[in-house]
């Protein structure tokens, strides 16, 4: 069994994103079949909640017409684009097979299961300011499931897929009977790039000749943002910067984790120090590309639309085991040691929320583990943009 899976992992390195995800699914099922049907105490943790919300909700005198005067209570719709981290694969998984389940209701940027008291997500934070917010995803299921709603993320996808996801999201919002497409204020979160970086080393070409180059990464995201800018009124777009994917190398502590991660991110799983440095360089180029794109001002040509770069993951280190500081704390991960577990989804939600309240040039570039959900300042009650 192990020999078969190792060979399959090697073959997966040359596959496209859809084929690679298909091979990953098959590997998960093989690994699950070879393991005893018992839960590991490190995984399957309940969603993380926050019980001490004490923010004084501030309301606008009238519905704002400017995105630069947008309060959390003005948000009527949440939406998200991305890959398996936004689809929330394995978020509540207690065994390897359950990593294939998309726990969309627990997704950090758009999940709406429960409430803030039992599930920290951006949508559940926003519910505290506007209980009538729409668009959040619930339960489990794929992008076409009833509970997916405006969570159009699809596992295995890359930057090249974002223009199509933008089209899908726009179509869903236009055709929804639950929202006022023209007048509701929308928060849309786009996070993508892990699969791009994880495929970078699969091409022998480097830099501009590589289809996963920062130039191409930016171009595809720009196409998606252009679509949103041209067609979606009243929108605040969170563009979340890429995390340091090389950090995942520290979490490969079991054979199953190393094997499954190899299907998704062979560029990191078995990389030596030199190879990791290459990935870190390209990772930085991805971050710089998004910073330049947003800083260009091309999405600040209308008063009712903006794109804000949220960098809270850029310098986020992998959490380390408090009982063994030399090892990664796997309780933050799904059983494949790659996808976010419940604790990481909660931390990512809080980190994104904090970035949304922080001014341009003063945003946190790493999450703070265990930090309380913060309140908007009374003298700065708006979601922060480059212009406020």
């Amino acid at each position: 069994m192990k020999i078969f899976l190792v060979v399959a992992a090697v073959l997966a390195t040359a596959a496209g994103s859809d084929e690679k995800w298909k091979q990953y699914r098959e590997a998960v099922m093989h690994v699950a079949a070879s393991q005893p049907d018992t839960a590991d105490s490190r995984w399957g943790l309940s969603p993380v909640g926050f019980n001490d919300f004490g923010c004084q909700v501030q309301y606008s005198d009238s519905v704002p017409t400017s995105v630069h005067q947008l309060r959390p209570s003005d948000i009527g719709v949440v939406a998200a684009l991305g890959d398996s981290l936004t689809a929330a694969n394995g978020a509540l998984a207690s065994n390897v097979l359950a990593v294939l389940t998309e726990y969309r209701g627990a997704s950090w940027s758009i999940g709406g299961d429960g409430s803030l008291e039992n599930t920290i997500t951006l949508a559940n934070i926003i519910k505290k300011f506007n209980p009538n917010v729409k668009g959040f995803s619930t339960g489990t299921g794929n992008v076409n499931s009833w509970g997916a709603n405006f969570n159009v993320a699809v596992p295995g996808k890359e930057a090249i897929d974002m223009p199509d996801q933008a089209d899908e999201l726009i179509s869903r919002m236009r055709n929804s009977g639950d929202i006022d497409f023209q007048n509701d204020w929308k928060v849309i979160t786009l996070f993508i790039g892990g699969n791009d970086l994880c495929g970078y080393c699969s091409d022998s070409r480097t830099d501009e000749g590589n289809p996963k180059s920062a130039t191409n990464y930016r171009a595809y995201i720009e196409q998606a943002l252009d679509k949103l800018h041209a067609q979606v009124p009243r929108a605040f777009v969170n563009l979340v910067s890429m995390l340091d994917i090389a950090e995942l190398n520290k979490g490969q502590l079991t054979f199953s984790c190393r094997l499954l991660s190899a299907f998704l991110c062979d560029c990191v799983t078995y990389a030596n120090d030199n190879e990791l440095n290459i990935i870190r360089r390209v990772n930085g180029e991805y971050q710089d590309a998004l910073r330049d794109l947003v800083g260009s001002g091309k999405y600040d040509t209308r008063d009712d639309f903006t794109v804000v770069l949220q960098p809270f993951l850029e310098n986020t280190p992998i959490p380390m085991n408090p009982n063994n500081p030399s090892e990664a704390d796997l309780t933050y991960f799904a059983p494949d040691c790659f996808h976010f577990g419940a604790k990481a989804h909660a931390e990512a939600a809080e980190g994104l929320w904090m970035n949304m309240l922080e001014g341009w040039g003063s945003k946190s570039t790493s999450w703070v583990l265990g930090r309380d959900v913060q309140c908007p300042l009374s003298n700065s009650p708006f979601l922060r943009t480059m212009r406020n």
Side-chain angles (χ1 to χ4, degrees):
M1 177 69 73
K2 287 186 178 181
I3 294 175
F4 166 78
L5 289 171
V6 169
V7 171
V10 172
L11 294 175
T13 63
S17 61
D18 288 343
E19 183 62 24
K20 182 176 286 190
W21 185 260
K22 177 182 177 182
Q23 292 172 352
Y24 169 75
R25 287 179 57 89
E26 293 173 350
V28 167
M29 289 185 282
H30 279 295
V31 169
S34 68
Q35 292 183 342
D37 188 21
T38 56
D40 189 309
S41 61
R42 292 175 292 191
W43 296 305
L45 302 176
S46 299
V48 178
F50 179 69
N51 294 306
D52 297 321
F53 181 85
C55 301
Q56 182 177 356
V57 179
Q58 301 181 50
Y59 297 96
S60 300
D61 293 334
S62 60
V63 178
T65 57
S66 171
V67 71
H68 310 295
Q69 296 179 323
L70 187 66
R71 301 173 192 262
S73 57
D74 295 317
I75 301 167
V77 179
V78 290
L81 305 83
D83 55 22
S84 55
L85 292 181
T86 299
N89 277 81
L92 306 180
S94 60
N95 57 69
V96 169
L97 188 59
V99 173
L100 299 179
T101 299
E102 298 167 33
Y103 294 89
R104 290 178 183 263
S107 174
W108 58 286
S109 61
I110 190 173
D113 279 355
S115 65
L116 182 62
E117 285 73 21
N118 52 44
T119 309
I120 300 175
T121 68
L122 178 63
N124 282 344
I125 294 172
I126 292 173
K127 283 183 192 177
K128 287 294 185 181
F129 296 88
N130 178 9
N132 297 315
V133 68
K134 307 293 184 182
F136 53 81
S137 50
T138 59
T140 61
N142 66 23
V143 68
N144 295 314
S145 63
W146 178 85
N149 215 343
F150 296 156
N151 181 347
V152 297
V154 177
K157 293 304 183 182
E158 301 175 349
I160 193 173
D161 302 298
M162 291 305 97
D164 286 343
Q165 283 193 21
D167 286 336
E168 175 64 20
L169 176 59
I170 293 167
S171 175
R172 289 189 185 195
M173 290 193 296
R174 283 187 185 279
N175 294 312
S176 173
D178 293 330
I179 72 168
D180 183 336
F181 180 69
Q182 292 297 326
N183 296 306
D184 284 343
W185 279 103
K186 309 159 194 72
V187 166
I188 303 170
T189 302
L190 193 163
F191 178 54
I192 199 70
N195 294 314
D196 298 82
L197 282 170
C198 285
Y200 183 84
C201 70
S202 300
D203 193 296
S204 59
R205 293 169 292 179
T206 58
D207 302 324
E208 299 312 309
N210 193 308
K212 314 296 186 187
S213 71
T215 299
N216 289 329
Y217 173 71
R218 169 181 166 152
Y220 294 130
I221 292 177
E222 187 171 11
Q223 290 174 29
L225 294 176
D226 286 352
K227 289 173 179 284
L228 297 176
H229 184 232
Q231 301 181 59
V232 181
R234 296 194 170 183
F236 180 104
V237 180
N238 290 314
L239 181 59
V240 179
S241 192
M242 264 308 299
L243 51 79
D244 181 359
I245 202 78
E247 283 285 300
L248 293 174
N249 183 267
K250 300 175 183 176
Q252 311 310 311
L253 302 180
T254 69
F255 173 79
S256 294
C257 284
R258 289 192 298 273
L259 181 64
L260 294 176
S261 291
F263 278 88
L264 293 178
C265 204
D266 50 289
C267 294
V268 169
T269 304
Y270 294 114
N272 57 37
D273 289 344
N274 182 59
E275 291 166 335
L276 286 176
N277 285 335
I278 293 173
I279 289 299
R280 285 195 172 98
R281 174 181 61 78
V282 179
N283 207 138
E285 291 172 358
Y286 275 32
Q287 295 169 351
D288 291 341
L290 296 191
R291 190 172 294 107
D292 291 344
L293 175 58
V294 173
S296 71
K298 73 175 297 185
Y299 302 114
D300 288 309
T301 59
R302 298 198 333 250
D303 206 35
D304 74 334
F305 187 98
T306 194
V307 177
V308 181
L309 184 70
Q310 310 295 16
F312 72 95
L313 287 174
E314 284 190 355
N315 297 316
T316 289
I318 195 170
M320 304 308 288
N321 188 338
N323 298 317
N324 187 352
S326 65
E327 289 189 355
D329 186 348
L330 296 184
T331 64
Y332 282 86
F333 293 90
D336 63 353
C337 306
F338 182 89
H339 289 96
F340 287 175
K343 291 170 66 174
H345 276 278
E347 297 293 353
E350 191 280 330
L352 175 57
W353 171 248
M354 192 66 192
N355 265 183
M356 292 169 67
L357 302 181
E358 294 172 326
W360 187 260
S362 302
K363 292 181 180 292
S364 306
T365 59
S366 63
W367 64 25
V368 178
L369 299 181
R371 181 172 57 188
D372 290 348
V373 174
Q374 302 297 301
C375 302
L377 299 176
S378 59
N379 62 352
S380 181
F382 307 124
L383 301 185
R384 302 302 299 274
T385 71
M386 285 197 294
R387 294 188 180 181
N388 67 8

